[in-house]
Amino acid sequence: ESARKLQLRHEACRARLSEPSLALRLFYGAPHAELQQLLEGGFDEVPSDPLGLRDFGRGWYFSKYASHAHHYTGGSGCVLLAEVAVGNAETVVVRDAARGAPSEGFDSIVVPGRRLPSQKDHKAAAAHVNEEYVIFDGSQALPLCLVYYDADS
């Protein structure tokens, strides 16, 4: 029942986008308990950011690479795979942690990537970043499944 509800919510959201046909399968990293809640209930309220890692705005950050999403899991050995309706994505390079939406006419933003949780120094972090997609409306993401892996290998 809840999976169907999430699907309908996602489809309704896609219909409102500037470019509704553009959706990607992307990975999201967070501690396992949070991922389980997202799988069951979807992406609603953006969680808190105690580590200050949302450099480009108050949104949900997704990566094409599970290996990149892994860095935000706390070592749980699990990431979430989602269908993300990125629509018309705005390329953003200027950091703005207060950003709450993409610019007018855009549905999401694509950024060069954030520093990893283990990197305190922004200069050192610059050498190790991966492009990320950021959405500000949780209904743009439809959780598909959890992907488990052995992080020690």
Side-chain angles (χ1 to χ4, degrees), residues 1-127:
E1 175 72 30
S2 95
R4 181 69 182 137
K5 183 178 174 184
L6 290 174
Q7 176 73 36
L8 292 172
R9 185 181 125 185
H10 181 67
E11 288 171 5
C13 174
R14 282 183 72 166
R16 294 188 305 267
L17 299 180
S18 300
E19 182 52 64
S21 64
L22 187 52
L24 302 171
R25 288 195 172 194
L26 302 171
F27 296 97
Y28 182 78
H32 184 264
E34 183 181 329
L35 295 178
Q36 189 64 48
Q37 289 175 338
L38 291 170
L39 182 64
E40 295 168 6
F43 292 82
D44 284 324
E45 293 183 33
V46 176
S48 64
D49 185 22
L51 299 176
L53 297 173
R54 291 204 179 95
D55 297 341
F56 294 93
R58 299 180 320 266
W60 302 94
Y61 289 69
F62 293 86
S63 175
K64 291 187 244 181
Y65 307 103
S67 59
H68 183 72
H70 161 77
H71 291 286
Y72 302 92
T73 66
S76 70
C78 178
V79 293
L80 185 138
L81 179 64
E83 179 179 285
V84 183
V86 295
N88 186 18
E90 173 186 17
T91 300
V92 172
V93 295
V94 176
R95 297 176 192 281
D96 179 1
R99 182 181 288 114
S103 299
E104 189 173 333
F106 293 95
D107 304 310
S108 64
I109 65 175
V110 61
V111 302
R114 303 168 288 163
R115 69 187 188 283
L116 299 176
S118 60
Q119 296 174 316
K120 306 295 183 209
D121 180 359
H122 279 282
K123 289 179 183 164

